[in-house]
Amino acid sequence: MPRVTSKQLSITLPVDMANMLQAKVDTGEYASVSSAIQDALRLAQARDRAFENAIENWLRTEVLPAYDEFKAAPDKGLSLDQVRESITQARRERAKKRR
C-alpha cells in the first residue's frame, strides 16, 4: 500500500469560510479542518475531471465529425464572411426576443 505523505500549509480564508469550516468540525461532519479542506479539494478534482471529460466528449462527438464532414466536402462549408453574418443575424434575433 502506498505511503500517504502530507505537507503542512498555512492558508488565509475569508471569515465566513473559516467559520463554515469550523462549524463543520464542531458538528462532527468532519474530524478536522484539514479533513474538510481535503474533501473540498477532492470535490474540486472530480469537478475538473468531469469538465475535462465533457470537453473531450464534445470534441469527439461534435467537433471531429464536423471537421471530417468539412474535409470530405469543403465546398459545403461556410466562408468567414458567411459565419460572421450568421452570428450577427443570430445576435439580432436574440436582441429582438429580449425586447
Side-chain angles (χ1 to χ4, degrees):
M1 179 188 278
R3 183 171 174 241
V4 177
T5 60
S6 61
K7 180 177 180 178
Q8 186 172 355
L9 300 174
S10 173
I11 63 170
T12 302
L13 295 172
V15 172
D16 61 327
M17 287 184 164
N19 290 341
M20 179 186 69
L21 282 169
Q22 191 59 54
K24 290 185 175 290
V25 173
D26 292 346
T27 62
E29 188 174 344
Y30 291 98
S32 66
V33 169
S34 290
S35 62
I37 291 173
Q38 289 168 7
D39 192 40
L41 290 171
R42 280 189 289 273
L43 290 170
Q45 284 177 324
R47 181 204 59 218
D48 292 348
R49 277 192 305 273
F51 180 73
E52 290 167 4
N53 289 340
I55 294 291
E56 187 174 320
N57 185 53
W58 171 71
L59 289 169
R60 191 179 322 103
T61 62
E62 294 185 38
V63 174
L64 286 177
Y67 174 78
D68 290 341
E69 186 177 332
F70 176 74
K71 289 294 277 186
D75 56 313
K76 292 185 180 181
L78 300 175
S79 70
L80 183 56
D81 288 336
Q82 289 171 313
V83 171
R84 284 184 178 143
E85 180 55 37
S86 176
I87 291 170
T88 300
Q89 185 61 34
R91 286 181 178 161
R92 283 186 196 131
E93 290 175 13
R94 262 184 294 185
K96 284 181 186 177
K97 289 179 183 178
R98 287 188 211 140
R99 293 179 195 167

